Amino acid sequence: MRMILLGAPGAGKGSVGRPLSSELGIPVISTGDIFRSNIVNKTPLGITAKEYMDKGALVPDELTVSIVEDRLSQQDCSGGFILDGFPRNLFQAGELDRILNGRGTPLDLVLNVHLSDERIIKRLSARMVCSACGESYNRLSKDTSMPGICDSCGGKVSIREDDAPETVKKRLETYYEQTRPLIEFYRTRGILKTIDNDCSIEEGSRRALKAARSIKSEI
Ligand code: AMP
């Protein structure tokens, strides 16, 4: 199963991606996580990406596409993958087609994870992320057992810098301008399914899995 998770920042792509990955046995590739781990390790990529991320803007396409192209050629992606946060605009979508068509392995499913802006702003203002493993927490719905410590790996859990209200506003604008047109792009291709994610994490995962399984039975 080769799939994309599409949706606004904070709609819950990461939360549905992790259970999908373990149920389907395929890796999640999150461009945001790749950039964040490069920022933590202060690599040249991290230093460049941070400039854009802090402004709520997209990291340049050439850089992002080459990272995804490399990652998709790794062995663990041979049985499928879940892309979280890529593509983010029509150019990237075209590049993804080029990469996958060149390998004769087209996309099976684009899962659009939907949540209203009002709920997104509420969720993001309470979101915390583990800097070591990327696990997401939320002060309102899924807090850590010990303050600031990741339940999964013991790493440090903190608020994401780009979840500051002003940056969230900019990220949502970027989403509407550049990413939302992808819904129509993939709808016309007949591979788009949408789930309403205004529900618990468990229910959102169940809806996502149901959508993925309905496609899996066809391929
Ligand atoms: P995310 O964790 O997916 O919300 O991404 C956090 C930030 O990383 C975004 O606001 C962008 O600045 C950057 N980013 C993530 N994915 C992409 C992408 N496909 N293209 C460009 N920038 C990206």
Side-chain angles (χ1 to χ4, degrees), residues 31-32 35-36 53 57-59 64 85-86 88 92 160 171:
T31 39
F35 292 138
R36 278 184 289 278
M53 290 168 78
L58 295 185
V59 176
T64 310
F86 183 94
R88 234 31 183 231
Q92 293 182 5
R160 263 172 59 170
R171 286 165 67 203

Side-chain angles (χ1 to χ4, degrees), residues 13-182:
K13 301 186 294 297
S15 301
V16 303
R18 272 179 286 276
L20 274 178
S21 166
S22 50
E23 285 290 330
L24 302 174
I26 50 177
V28 178
I29 300 167
S30 157
T31 39
D33 283 350
I34 294 173
F35 292 138
R36 278 184 289 278
S37 79
N38 276 274
I39 291 174
V40 169
N41 294 316
K42 297 190 167 59
T43 67
L45 168 65
I47 292 165
T48 305
K50 190 171 182 329
E51 270 177 49
Y52 295 90
M53 290 168 78
D54 283 351
K55 291 188 284 200
L58 295 185
V59 176
D61 286 335
E62 313 76 65
L63 209 56
T64 310
V65 170
S66 76
I67 286 162
V68 171
E69 189 160 13
D70 276 3
R71 183 64 188 87
L72 289 178
S73 36
Q74 289 171 21
Q75 182 54 33
D76 64 334
C77 296
S78 59
F81 52 79
I82 301 166
L83 279 169
D84 168 357
F86 183 94
R88 234 31 183 231
N89 59 28
L90 287 164
F91 177 79
Q92 293 182 5
E95 286 295 283
L96 182 62
D97 281 345
R98 174 187 62 76
I99 296 166
L100 296 181
N101 292 343
R103 299 173 184 184
T105 55
L107 282 171
D108 300 309
L109 171 66
V110 177
L111 188 65
N112 179 35
V113 180
H114 179 263
L115 191 66
S116 70
D117 285 1
E118 196 190 331
R119 299 282 301 137
I120 283 175
I121 289 164
K122 205 167 168 195
R123 262 192 203 179
L124 290 188
S125 64
R127 176 161 79 171
M128 295 172 302
V129 178
C130 173
S131 54
C133 73
E135 183 72 30
S136 221
Y137 294 91
N138 193 292
R139 279 195 302 273
L140 303 174
S141 53
K142 184 195 166 196
D143 211 343
T144 51
S145 310
M146 296 210 324
I149 307 289
C150 178
D151 290 0
S152 303
C153 77
K156 186 167 170 268
V157 171
S158 53
I159 292 167
R160 263 172 59 170
E161 274 183 40
D162 61 349
D163 281 346
E166 264 316 294
T167 318
V168 167
K169 196 168 158 263
K170 183 70 186 101
R171 286 165 67 203
L172 281 173
E173 280 167 23
T174 305
Y175 166 76
Y176 279 108
E177 278 165 23
Q178 303 200 43
T179 311
R180 201 163 181 273
L182 293 179

